[in-house]
Amino acid sequence: MTEELNQRLLAEVSRLADALERLAGPPPAANDWSSADCFVWVPANLRLQPVPRPNRVALSLIRGVDHVRDILHENTLRFAEGYPANNVLLWGARGMGKSSLLKAVHEDVRASTDTPLKLVEVHREDIASLPLLLDILKASDQRVIVFCDDLSFDHDDTAYKSLKAALDGGIEGRPDNVLFYATSNRRHLLPRHMMENEQSTAINPSEAVEEKVSLSDRFGLWLGFHKCSQDDYLAMIDGYADYFRLPLEREVLHHEALEWAATRGGRSGRVAWQYIQDLAGRLRLPLERR
């Protein structure tokens, strides 16, 4: 009888232990920095998911943003070499290559320095988990750029407070081996009408607006991207056509590219790339990156 009772108690304890293990969730994954140069943050299991083949273009193919390109490249190079550098907000017109430039600069700097610079992308909906990510990164000997694409915040969205704390670092300070880069269509990461609403309904209008826009102040560098001229647009087209060796007369190429832009309602790097994809498809040629 005693033996049977012991067996039942052991079975019950095992059942409870299994239940607690399921509630605790999966154990944190072991992050292998040597597996890739780019990663995506997965907060559910505290994992940095390797990206073996990042979606990016060569730095030489990004045209019309020479000034901001040089500033971003210099800032990134200083950080990779272990010198002080600023968090960066790339803001402005859509389709002008903000995220493409960021990824291309990372690859160019990584390839030209001895330091294995890593790029970690954080999805907009995972901003609140940044403190967990920083705990992992600060324990590493890697130099890491944390990147959030198309960053913006809506009304009553409190996730921006997590980002503010991460940018300033709180009482511990931001880890020396971590830098934040973000892209956005909005300079202050909030739509103008929301800022105006905050100002009109708040008891102290200036304080309400300051609380919202102070997030962008945490970025030491603001790099603006504006709509490109026709010459810049055609330079993008020429660069792609030469790089991928597309056999089309320059005059015909320009005529088609301008007509393509007119049907899209504007010129941008994204529109240029979409035309090149269409052209390569019509010519039955692959777009192989070298």
Side-chain angles (χ1 to χ4, degrees):
M1 185 68 178
T2 303
E3 180 66 22
E4 181 182 352
L5 181 60
N6 288 340
Q7 291 295 332
R8 291 170 63 182
L9 287 174
L10 182 61
E12 186 67 16
V13 169
S14 298
R15 187 183 67 80
L16 290 174
D18 290 340
L20 289 173
E21 188 172 341
R22 287 194 298 271
L23 287 173
N31 296 305
D32 181 9
W33 287 109
S34 64
S35 61
D37 296 311
C38 299
F39 299 82
V40 174
W41 168 236
V42 184
N45 56 3
L46 304 182
R47 180 171 182 245
L48 293 168
Q49 179 177 316
V51 182
R53 298 187 62 185
N55 178 27
R56 58 190 173 202
V57 299
L59 185 59
S60 60
L61 291 178
I62 301 177
R63 310 290 179 88
V65 291
D66 295 1
H67 181 60
V68 294
R69 177 201 64 201
D70 294 344
I71 295 174
L72 183 64
H73 192 279
E74 171 62 19
N75 190 72
T76 307
L77 182 61
R78 289 202 306 261
F79 175 66
E81 293 176 343
Y83 297 107
N86 274 303
N87 300 318
V88 183
L89 174 63
L90 298 87
W91 69 277
R94 67 184 188 277
M96 280 305 297
K98 296 183 289 294
S99 60
S100 296
L101 178 62
L102 191 157
K103 290 181 285 188
V105 164
H106 163 258
E107 170 60 16
D108 189 77
V109 170
R110 184 203 62 80
S112 63
T113 61
D114 295 331
T115 304
L117 182 64
K118 305 298 182 180
L119 184 67
V120 174
E121 181 174 9
V122 177
H123 293 143
R124 162 64 187 81
E125 58 271 20
D126 295 329
I127 288 294
S129 68
L130 274 176
L132 296 175
L133 175 59
L134 289 183
D135 283 342
I136 294 174
L137 298 183
K138 69 184 179 182
S140 167
D141 59 354
Q142 305 289 324
R143 301 194 72 76
V144 182
I145 294 175
V146 176
F147 159 50
C148 186
D149 192 24
D150 198 19
L151 182 63
S152 62
F153 297 95
D154 297 324
H155 187 58
D156 293 333
D157 188 344
T158 59
Y160 76 94
K161 294 183 179 180
S162 296
L163 181 56
K164 283 173 66 174
L167 289 171
D168 275 348
I171 193 170
E172 290 184 296
R174 176 170 52 84
D176 292 336
N177 65 322
V178 177
L179 208 59
F180 288 90
Y181 284 4
T183 70
S184 177
N185 294 334
R186 305 165 180 170
R187 183 171 182 176
H188 290 295
L189 306 175
L190 291 168
R192 180 175 295 275
H193 76 271
M194 283 177 53
M195 293 167 59
E196 292 172 348
N197 288 344
E198 289 279 355
Q199 194 169 21
S200 64
T201 59
I203 296 175
N204 191 323
S206 61
E207 286 185 0
V209 174
E210 285 293 323
E211 169 69 11
K212 296 292 185 180
V213 304
S214 62
L215 171 59
S216 57
D217 291 341
R218 265 68 175 182
F219 293 91
L221 285 176
W222 292 1
L223 302 181
F225 290 70
H226 309 287
K227 293 185 180 298
C228 64
S229 66
Q230 179 171 300
D231 288 343
D232 288 336
Y233 173 71
L234 293 178
M236 297 173 190
I237 295 293
D238 291 342
Y240 283 130
D242 292 341
Y243 182 83
F244 293 112
R245 301 189 179 98
L246 301 179
L248 194 66
E249 293 291 335
R250 196 57 42 114
E251 184 177 346
V252 177
L253 180 71
H254 286 185
H255 175 76
E256 286 192 2
L258 291 174
E259 184 177 359
W260 181 275
T263 63
R264 298 303 181 277
R267 300 179 294 265
S268 71
R270 180 178 297 144
V271 170
W273 174 242
Q274 291 168 346
Y275 166 71
I276 289 297
Q277 290 186 101
D278 179 77
L279 175 60
R282 286 188 281 116
L283 294 174
R284 299 298 190 271
L285 293 173
L287 294 176
E288 298 177 350
R289 290 186 169 90
R290 303 195 298 275

